């Protein structure tokens, strides 16, 4: 099996930039250790398919876009009226299992693991950094831990997830990963940052 290459090769060398007053308030970079399987249905079939999907995933199917669900297969996001993203471990056989379990006439399974890049920003000023280009209220009262949203940064579509109070994960199309990372680094400059590639958990 071919290894998945980062779309940010050459841009993620460990480095740091001091912000105002020498601050180093943020960590940012890539966490490439994940799989992403999209399960999509049709308007006429998806409601009836949710029981089969829940059994496949070992947990509930999310009903709201902003509230992902934890399942045995991974974290499940509702990314459309009849569409789910399942973020799981790097070595996952979910794509094959889903294709076997979901009839072709009821749904479509697509492995997007190599089509998306997962960036992250973490630190006290993470929300302030993202607020420079993402049109969402990221105050914890409006966007608490666990919340997700399909949104965009400078016309680039992203899935934004807040797994911790001071951390955000950004799923972006591989084609635009370098642009999104460069924007993130520029937005973070006033707070200071360290660039990292996170190791597998």
């Amino acid at each position: 099996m071919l290894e998945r290459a980062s779309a940010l090769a050459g841009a993620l060398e460990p480095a740091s930039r001091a912000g105002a007053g020498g601050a180093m308030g943020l960590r940012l970079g890539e966490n490439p250790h994940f799989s992403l399987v999209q399960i999509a249905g049709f308007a006429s079939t998806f409601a009836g398919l949710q029981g089969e999907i829940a059994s496949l995933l070992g947990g509930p199917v999310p009903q709201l876009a902003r509230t992902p669900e934890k399942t045995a297969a991974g974290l499940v996001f509702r990314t459309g009226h009849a569409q789910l993203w399942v973020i799981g471990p790097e070595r996952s056989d979910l794509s094959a299992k889903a294709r076997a379990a979901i009839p072709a006439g009821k749904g479509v399974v697509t492995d997007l693991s190599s089509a998306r890049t997962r960036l992250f920003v973490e630190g006290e000023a993470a929300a302030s950094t993202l607020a420079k280009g993402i049109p969402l209220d990221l105050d914890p009262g409006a966007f608490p831990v666990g919340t997700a949203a399909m949104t965009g940064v400078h016309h680039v579509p992203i899935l934004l997830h807040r797994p911790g109070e001071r951390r955000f994960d950004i799923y972006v199309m591989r084609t635009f990963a370098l642009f999104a990372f460069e924007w993130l680094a520029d937005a973070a400059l006033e707070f200071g940052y360290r660039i990292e590639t996170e190791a597998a958990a």
Side-chain angles (χ1 to χ4, degrees):
M1 179 182 292
L2 295 175
E3 292 295 323
R4 186 167 71 199
S6 171
L8 302 176
L12 278 176
E13 296 296 325
S16 61
R17 294 287 298 271
M24 297 290 291
L26 293 167
R27 293 173 59 243
L28 57 92
E30 179 184 14
N31 184 330
H33 307 290
F34 71 99
S35 61
L36 196 170
V37 176
Q38 176 177 281
I39 301 175
F42 307 102
S44 59
T45 63
F46 192 72
L49 191 60
Q50 291 189 58
E52 296 171 62
I53 295 174
S55 295
L56 171 71
L57 301 180
V61 172
Q63 299 304 307
L64 299 175
R66 67 181 276 115
T67 311
E69 295 281 1
K70 291 182 179 179
T71 71
L75 195 59
V76 186
F77 298 84
R78 192 164 195 131
T79 55
H81 174 67
Q83 181 174 285
L84 305 171
W85 277 11
V86 185
I87 309 294
E90 189 170 13
R91 306 295 183 184
S92 171
D93 59 357
L94 177 62
S95 181
K97 287 182 176 179
R99 288 192 181 97
I102 298 174
K106 290 186 177 181
V108 178
V109 177
T110 308
D111 192 323
L112 297 177
S113 303
S114 295
R116 296 295 186 277
T117 295
R118 178 167 63 185
L119 305 176
F120 72 89
V121 56
E122 184 173 31
E124 191 68 40
S128 298
T129 298
L130 294 176
K132 294 179 180 183
I134 293 178
L136 293 173
D137 182 354
L138 299 177
D139 182 88
F143 202 90
V145 173
T147 302
M150 298 295 292
T151 183
V153 56
H154 285 278
H155 309 291
V156 173
I158 62 170
L159 171 64
L160 181 69
H161 178 225
R162 188 176 203 160
E165 185 175 348
R166 307 195 318 162
R167 181 186 173 107
F168 294 85
D169 288 341
I170 303 163
Y171 296 86
V172 59
M173 287 185 288
R174 180 183 178 90
T175 309
F176 297 107
L178 182 58
F179 165 81
F181 175 73
E182 289 177 341
W183 175 87
L184 184 61
D186 186 63
L189 183 56
E190 70 168 294
F191 305 110
Y193 61 80
R194 299 186 308 278
I195 294 175
E196 300 178 11
T197 299
E198 291 190 322

